[in-house]
Amino acid sequence: MSASGGTKAIVAALAANLAIAVAKFVAFLFSGSSSMLAESVHSLADSGNQGLLLLGGKKAKREATPQHPFGYGRERYIYAFLVSIVLFSVGGMFAIYEGYEKIKHPHPIEAWYWPVGVLVFAIIAESFSFRTAIQESNLIRGGLTWTQFVRRAKAPELPVVLLEDLGALVGLILALGGVGLALLTGDGVWDGIGTLCIGILLIAIAIVLAAETKSLLLGESAGTEEVKRIEAAVVDGETVTRLIHMRTLHLGPEELLVAAKIAVQHDDSAGDVANAINAAEERIRAAVPIARVIYLEPDIYKETATSAGPDLAKTPDDNDH
């Protein structure tokens, strides 16, 4: 994901959520609807989340230091994980609490035109934000389904904004349904039920976000297509005759570490091997531009020692050739 594409979607979502949060809170003050209060807190939490994503993107651009020699690219994962916590605690838990209180102590909705009008406005605004996130995602999604895109994306911002916007739209529909049923029946319990459903929805989305960003924080390898391109680029058929084994790791969404053991001819000179390694690194970077940190170790390939297949528990420095 390009940084500009992610930033555009985040800014669009931030602008929409700030405007919607204010409108929802005003509607709550005039109508007393718990759904509107839960939705205003939801939009406020979403605004804070977009702020966290922007902050994470800024911090990730810092230069590497002796203490952090691989840079700060993973800052984006950390702030995306914080988003899931905020969405769970502030948005989801508050909505469940407010819904429970409204079901336990229901009261009718006053000035119904306020919540209905604001909800219609919010649905329109969120739809524009969601459309922007979809357009930016389509630029990099390729042939992946939406589920695959959310699960496999190495850059967390667009999946986060997509799920937030989707959750916001569904939440608005639930709020509109709760308010509508409360007005039709004259029973404020429906407003509380709508609020409770919003809370459950937000917690479900937060759990999905937490699971996906946790995997990124732990460290994910390059995608299948990127691995294939790297494998094809390593071997030149002359000095580098084979890729013995390889490990890849995302240091950040747009920075990949490649560590590999490569087979060279037993009678090659040190100069030939060094030149071959440099050439292989250039081919890898040309094939996968985000492969910025590359460590290639030359070795002599032995068929008998590798016939059992690679041992993923070992590292590229183990003598398993």
Side-chain angles (χ1 to χ4, degrees), residues 197-237:
C197 290
I198 292 169
I200 295 172
L201 170 70
L202 294 180
I203 288 176
I205 292 175
I207 291 172
V208 172
L209 286 177
E212 294 305 318
T213 51
K214 175 189 173 185
S215 179
L216 292 170
L217 277 171
L218 289 174
E220 289 190 356
S221 64
T224 303
E225 292 301 318
E226 291 174 328
V227 169
K228 290 180 179 178
R229 291 201 298 270
I230 293 172
E231 290 174 343
V234 169
V235 179
D236 63 6

Side-chain angles (χ1 to χ4, degrees), residues 8-37:
K8 182 178 179 180
I10 295 170
V11 171
L14 177 61
N17 281 317
L18 285 174
I20 292 169
V22 173
K24 288 175 180 175
F25 190 72
V26 171
F28 159 71
L29 293 177
F30 280 93
S31 67
S33 168
S34 66
S35 291
M36 295 309 303
L37 179 59

